[in-house]
Amino acid sequence: MGFWENFKKDKKLIVAHRGARSVRAENTMSAFIEAIKKSDYIELDVAFTKDAVAVIIHDNTLERTSNVKDFPEFKKPYKVIDYTYKQLQKLDFGEWFLKEDPFGTIKSGRVDIQELKALKIQRLLSLDKLLKFLKKYNFPVNIEIKDASKTPFDKIAVKNIVDIIEENVMVNYVLISSFNHKYLRQVHKINPNIDIAALQEDEHPKDLVKRLKRLKVRSYHPAFHLTNTELIQNLTNEGIFVNIFTVNDKNEKQNLFDSGAKSIITDILDD
């Protein structure tokens, strides 16, 4: 059994991008709890703290998604990697969502602001803590390993993450993706039972099918603007699942599914 065997063969899958981030602060426990109710699997990002704790956060810096400016001990450029996990537990990763209302869901009334306030402080999650939660439900997750190539964790990132997955007995429920395809090779070498996926944003690599097969990936994650019916059908015919990010329009989602896409990674989860 592997990641894709959790789903029926012909099922079209909705993936919660950083959790249910249109109604909760992204990559927080509340966003993942909401996502379980409305998605087939969740997608999240993993980076490292100064003391090598794998944490769930998209940006390399803390400014956009936390109240880091409220604490004088934190200094610009507010890099995640400059602080320990214990230090980062001081921060609230939910407050900004109430202030910014990034998807207009508070203004529109789709989200009750009092309900958000009742959540109180949203702490930075460790990967270990989240996998322990997901294991209770055997709920599948796509872990994106952020590029650590210019950090002290470049050589240990993959091993640390795989160890956490194995310790939580989540090998069959995890799909690891990365823009750094070197990491995918490392994952496969350490544990070939973990499914891997190649992320691509700027342009498709030359000889795409050959490259994907050399990487031993079962799926390809192209950006929406790189994707068309021909690409989807060619890869599907080669036995490679196509999972597209980030698609929020209902009609575009349906068109991609009609073209043969396996998964749509989206910020907007339909009720």
Side-chain angles (χ1 to χ4, degrees):
M1 180 176 170
F3 179 82
W4 295 108
E5 283 64 50
N6 289 292
F7 311 104
K8 292 181 180 178
K9 185 177 179 181
D10 297 325
K11 184 172 174 56
K12 302 300 184 182
L13 306 172
I14 291 293
V15 188
H17 185 223
R18 307 180 203 168
R21 70 186 294 248
S22 68
V23 296
R24 295 290 187 271
E26 67 182 55
N27 281 330
T28 61
M29 184 63 85
S30 64
F32 297 129
I33 290 171
E34 285 296 308
I36 284 177
K37 304 171 187 176
K38 301 175 182 178
S39 66
D40 296 296
Y41 63 98
I42 60 176
E43 184 271 353
L44 54 83
D45 313 274
V46 173
F48 286 88
T49 64
K50 186 176 182 178
D51 52 339
V53 176
V55 291
I56 301 170
I57 187 169
H58 175 269
D59 297 3
N60 294 324
T61 58
L62 301 155
E63 191 170 0
R64 181 177 67 86
T65 58
S66 81
N67 60 342
V68 66
K69 289 183 175 180
D70 294 345
F71 297 85
E73 63 263 45
F74 292 88
K75 307 296 182 184
K76 288 186 177 181
Y78 305 120
K79 289 185 178 181
V80 177
I81 201 172
D82 287 342
Y83 302 96
T84 66
Y85 182 65
K86 183 177 180 179
Q87 287 175 304
L88 294 172
Q89 288 301 295
K90 297 178 182 179
L91 305 179
D92 184 353
F93 285 80
E95 181 182 284
W96 72 275
F97 187 89
L98 283 86
K99 293 179 179 178
E100 299 294 332
D101 190 15
F103 293 88
T105 48
I106 299 173
K107 184 178 180 180
S108 70
R110 186 181 175 200
V111 179
D112 183 348
I113 193 167
Q114 296 306 319
E115 186 179 331
L116 291 178
K117 288 179 178 179
L119 295 171
K120 300 182 180 179
I121 294 178
Q122 296 287 294
R123 306 291 185 188
L124 181 67
L125 275 174
S126 69
L127 178 61
D128 181 65
K129 183 175 181 178
L130 182 64
L131 290 187
K132 281 179 168 55
F133 169 75
L134 294 178
K135 180 60 183 173
K136 295 176 184 178
Y137 304 91
N138 284 337
F139 197 82
V141 55
N142 173 192
I143 297 172
E144 179 189 336
I145 304 179
K146 305 300 287 185
D147 188 1
S149 58
K150 296 181 180 179
T151 78
F153 302 111
D154 183 43
K155 293 183 179 180
I156 65 169
V158 170
K159 180 65 164 61
N160 283 14
I161 289 169
V162 170
D163 284 348
I164 294 167
I165 294 166
E166 292 175 342
E167 288 163 6
N168 283 286
V169 196
M170 284 289 284
V171 166
N172 292 332
Y173 299 96
V174 166
L175 172 67
I176 290 183
S177 62
S178 186
F179 288 105
N180 187 332
H181 296 173
K182 175 184 72 175
Y183 293 164
L184 303 179
R185 294 188 183 94
Q186 290 177 19
V187 172
H188 186 75
K189 184 175 181 180
I190 295 169
N191 189 334
N193 293 316
I194 297 177
D195 269 299
I196 50 179
L199 273 162
Q200 204 68 36
E201 188 168 31
D202 297 325
E203 60 182 4
H204 301 298
K206 293 180 180 179
D207 298 321
L208 177 60
V209 171
K210 289 182 180 179
R211 178 172 176 81
L212 295 177
K213 291 191 172 183
R214 282 199 301 268
L215 284 171
K216 295 182 172 58
V217 301
R218 294 174 72 190
S219 49
Y220 184 54
H221 292 200
F224 174 54
H225 69 90
L226 291 179
T227 309
N228 56 40
T229 298
E230 182 182 7
L231 173 82
I232 295 171
Q233 293 181 350
N234 286 345
L235 291 180
T236 301
N237 289 338
E238 293 289 342
I240 297 169
F241 298 116
V242 181
N243 311 306
I244 301 136
F245 73 95
T246 305
V247 189
N248 291 335
D249 181 85
K250 277 188 177 182
N251 291 330
E252 289 170 344
K253 291 177 187 177
Q254 189 57 54
N255 289 338
L256 290 166
F257 280 141
D258 290 344
S259 296
K262 182 64 176 176
S263 307
I264 301 297
I265 301 169
T266 182
D267 300 318
I268 310 295
L269 302 176
D270 299 326
D271 293 325

